[in-house]
Amino acid sequence: MSRLRGAAFTPVVVSREAVGDVVVLELAPLEGRRLPGWRPGAHLDVVIPPSAVPGGLTRQYSLIGDPAAPTWRIAVLREAESGGGSTWLHGVREGDTLQVGGPHNHFEFRAGPAPVLFLAGGVGITPISAMAHAAAATGRDYAVHYAGRAGNMALVDDLRALHGERLHLYRDGVRLDLPGVLGAAAPGTAVYACGPARLLDEAEAEASRAGLEFHAERFVAVPLRAPVWPEPFEVELQFSGLTLEVPPEKSILEVVEEHGVLVPWSCSEGTCGTCETPVAEGEIDHRDSILTAQERARMDTMFICVSRAACPRLVLEL
């Protein structure tokens, strides 16, 4: 079973709104408590109990809207092949409580004067909504491009009220013209995107052609390629006093847990960021779907559920 990272909270569901296959849940603290603050791009780890899914699950959902609000909001797309977590959350009602961890952030919106383009596909609007709220609050030049299936697009009314003509909707067969939108962007524009893999892959390619800074959050992991270092390698765990061998057929996460070192983890496919581990020494074969090229080049952190060594030995802060 996956393991939460950091403190756990038990907020209560105070409202729910269904929009097609998406349900928006508003969460409030229990009496006498206060929810932790968060920054745009942050997500919650939501525990799906063993009573709903054998063994239980932990799934990540981005926080919506205004970080200064006293409540949290998340949106959940019902997915038939999700393992059962989304179906259980669609059955949650007002007055129910959830067990959550976080907030955590691997998709943080960076402050600055540069203009911003926000791209969202489907339920990918959730982190983008918070970023666009921050851009509006600081007077930054921005536009929001939101594509999805008619009747299944959450938050449209909220977005219209806040962003007006800066919001561009694509539905009912109207396609988001990524080459046109990104090709016309001013030099220095930053692009933040979230949504289906096809949208993100095309957006990243067009942003690269236009020389634009690109940031994305992926819900589906990029396909794993062959390891850079195909042989076994050693990992030294600085704080645990262990040196372990990782064979080609096992992940670092699997090996350290077999030796009693407990690491928070959730997705096991390099998308959620829960198992992020600082690296003290060694070259990393990054295989996650989270870090930017600049972050990878620093060689100071890795996601041990999928990433491996690109050398005979790594030293980890575990």
Side-chain angles (χ1 to χ4, degrees):
M1 181 178 176
S2 54
R3 186 175 297 109
L4 282 177
R5 173 164 52 111
F9 299 88
T10 310
V12 61
V13 177
V14 293
S15 73
R16 68 183 305 278
E17 177 187 2
V19 182
D21 290 331
V22 178
V23 64
V24 178
L25 302 177
E26 183 178 8
L27 311 177
L30 295 174
E31 187 174 349
R33 306 285 182 89
R34 189 168 69 178
L35 298 174
W38 58 281
R39 296 176 61 84
H43 68 265
L44 299 177
D45 296 332
V46 180
V47 175
I48 313 301
S51 59
V53 178
L57 295 170
T58 302
R59 290 294 180 258
Q60 288 68 42
Y61 296 97
S62 296
L63 286 158
I64 295 170
D66 182 5
T71 57
W72 287 338
R73 287 197 300 160
I74 60 173
V76 181
L77 172 66
R78 189 197 302 271
E79 296 180 281
E81 300 179 1
S82 70
S86 66
T87 299
W88 181 78
L89 282 166
H90 271 250
V92 166
R93 295 290 180 262
E94 293 181 16
D96 291 344
T97 57
L98 300 180
Q99 184 182 6
V100 305
H104 306 297
N105 202 334
H106 295 285
F107 186 42
E108 188 164 353
F109 179 49
R110 300 177 183 176
V116 193
L117 278 176
F118 297 112
L119 309 176
V123 78
I125 191 61
T126 51
I128 296 300
S129 71
M131 295 179 179
H133 191 286
T138 57
R140 199 163 171 180
D141 184 18
Y142 71 96
V144 181
H145 296 267
Y146 178 18
R149 290 188 288 115
N152 216 38
M153 296 173 70
L155 311 180
V156 169
D157 290 343
D158 290 353
L159 294 168
R160 278 180 173 150
L162 181 59
H163 305 299
E165 294 182 354
R166 294 179 184 270
L167 173 66
H168 306 272
L169 298 175
Y170 305 85
R171 53 189 177 184
D172 299 322
V174 178
R175 190 172 185 275
L176 169 53
D177 177 16
L178 288 171
V181 169
L182 294 172
T189 295
V191 181
Y192 288 82
C194 186
R198 184 172 64 178
L199 171 72
L200 299 186
D201 291 344
E202 184 181 351
E204 185 171 17
E206 294 298 336
S208 178
R209 289 189 189 98
L212 304 178
E213 176 186 322
F214 183 78
H215 307 270
E217 181 170 65
R218 294 180 178 269
F219 297 143
V220 178
V222 296
L224 289 179
R225 50 170 172 70
V228 171
W229 184 270
E231 304 298 324
F233 59 89
E234 287 187 345
V235 288
E236 178 185 338
L237 310 183
Q238 276 191 330
F239 304 145
S240 304
L242 298 173
T243 298
L244 309 174
E245 182 176 89
V246 180
E249 70 275 10
K250 289 187 177 182
S251 69
I252 298 175
L253 176 62
E254 288 174 309
V255 171
V256 299
E257 289 220 319
E258 285 173 359
H259 288 80
V261 179
L262 300 182
V263 179
W265 64 276
S266 176
C267 71
S268 73
E269 58 184 19
T271 58
C272 75
T274 305
C275 68
E276 183 172 11
T277 300
V279 179
E281 294 178 26
E283 294 184 38
I284 306 163
D285 177 12
H286 291 291
R287 293 149 60 84
D288 63 88
S289 304
I290 299 171
L291 297 177
T292 65
Q294 295 86 352
E295 291 167 336
R296 293 181 176 201
R298 292 202 295 263
M299 292 287 176
D300 60 359
T301 192
M302 70 187 299
F303 300 96
I304 62 173
C305 65
V306 291
S307 294
R308 305 182 66 80
C311 61
R313 182 182 179 87
L314 289 176
V315 181
L316 307 180
E317 295 183 12
L318 283 177

